[in-house]
Amino acid sequence: MTWRTQLGERVLEGVEAEVYLTAMQDAIEHLEDTRDLEEPEVLTGDRIFDISSFEQKVVLLHQCLSALLDPNIEPPMLTNVVEAAAYFPFAFLKTRLGDEIYLEKEGPHEEDSLRYFYRNLVWRAFEEYLLTHWQAGQEEFGFDEELDTFHPHSDNLKVWHTVVDQLVDRIFWDRDWAITSNHPEMLDGIEVELSQSLGLDDYFTNRLPRVTPEQAAVALSEIQNWTSSGE
């Protein structure tokens, strides 16, 4: 009962799990703080998830967090909405990296631990899962100054986004959920011949879960109190 990722059926463990959980918990806090805004600040590219209510987002995010971190939880059927929810912490990370770099350029933060918080977080995953491949690529394809000068406190947002995208690729096969951003007609249905050839049978949906305040409160509490071991 594990999520079918690009690297096989698995749950997230180690540094990958810690980064995902931290991003998820911070993203939930952000959603709480901005719940009264008319337009969401963090977007996944899926029209349905992005317009969902705070309560619906919380329940969907809890469902994905549970399935990606707990091997005893059966993963949900993958739809554009579910995958957008699973991707949401990464979209949040990209936004926060940009904010962090912008604020640093405006003026140094009082505490270095906060000044580089998200860069340090993502760098841990970069060192663990990507650095060796980047070094091998430099040797095989030649020197790239942007990559060679990349470091934990880099202000090169383009490279940080590349790192996040490559962490995303460890989980997702593609970005099908984002198709609805440019092609909303997909939500009205897709021809059987095309859906079968693309492997998207029953993937696109314009339905969101019905959520009670009590369900949202439980999901919110469990996300906030989740530890890296899932206990």
Side-chain angles (χ1 to χ4, degrees):
M1 294 192 295
T2 50
W3 199 289
R4 182 172 174 264
T5 75
Q6 184 79 272
L7 302 181
E9 295 187 1
R10 65 191 184 97
V11 293
L12 307 185
E13 297 178 320
V15 173
E16 192 173 28
E18 292 175 17
V19 170
Y20 191 79
L21 176 59
T22 299
M24 178 69 83
Q25 290 174 329
D26 285 2
I28 282 290
E29 182 178 348
H30 167 79
L31 285 175
E32 280 194 290
D33 292 341
T34 60
R35 63 190 300 177
D36 294 329
L37 296 181
E38 292 186 6
E39 298 292 335
E41 291 186 346
V42 179
L43 299 172
T44 65
D46 177 65
R47 286 172 174 254
I48 302 303
F49 177 84
D50 289 340
I51 65 170
S52 63
S53 69
F54 170 76
E55 290 78 13
Q56 289 168 326
K57 282 188 172 76
V58 168
V59 168
L60 286 164
L61 292 172
H62 176 260
Q63 186 180 33
C64 292
L65 179 70
S66 301
L68 278 167
L69 297 189
D70 188 343
N72 298 309
I73 302 296
E74 185 173 355
M77 177 181 172
L78 296 185
T79 66
N80 52 296
V81 174
V82 168
E83 287 204 298
Y87 171 73
F88 185 76
F90 293 109
F92 173 81
L93 273 180
K94 284 187 170 185
T95 299
R96 279 296 175 263
L97 287 165
D99 292 342
E100 188 174 273
I101 290 170
Y102 172 78
L103 290 174
E104 182 188 20
K105 290 180 178 179
E106 289 295 298
H109 200 286
E110 293 180 0
E111 300 179 45
D112 277 354
S113 61
L114 298 178
R115 181 181 177 185
Y116 300 116
F117 179 81
Y118 289 104
R119 279 172 284 183
N120 286 339
L121 178 69
V122 174
W123 182 267
R124 289 185 61 210
F126 171 74
E127 277 193 312
E128 182 74 17
Y129 306 110
L130 304 176
L131 179 57
T132 300
H133 299 291
W134 282 38
Q135 291 172 334
Q138 289 279 73
E139 293 178 5
E140 181 176 356
F141 300 110
F143 175 79
D144 184 314
E145 185 176 1
E146 276 196 318
L147 303 184
D148 190 66
T149 58
F150 185 56
H151 57 87
H153 298 163
S154 170
D155 63 359
N156 191 328
L157 184 58
K158 174 185 173 184
V159 180
W160 283 111
H161 279 189
T162 298
V163 171
V164 174
D165 283 335
Q166 291 189 6
L167 293 175
V168 169
D169 289 338
R170 292 174 55 83
I171 299 174
F172 301 94
W173 291 83
D174 43 44
R175 306 289 196 278
D176 286 334
W177 70 85
I179 293 176
T180 63
S181 179
N182 294 322
H183 300 283
E185 68 274 10
M186 288 290 192
L187 296 171
D188 296 327
I190 180 173
E191 294 181 6
V192 175
E193 294 80 4
L194 181 58
S195 66
Q196 289 178 344
S197 65
L198 296 176
L200 295 175
D201 290 353
D202 302 319
Y203 179 77
F204 292 108
T205 179
N206 55 15
R207 300 178 66 88
L208 287 164
R210 293 182 179 179
V211 174
T212 66
E214 293 75 18
Q215 288 173 319
V218 170
L220 179 62
S221 177
E222 290 191 3
I223 293 174
Q224 291 171 328
N225 294 292
W226 197 296
T227 66
S228 58
S229 62
E231 297 174 357

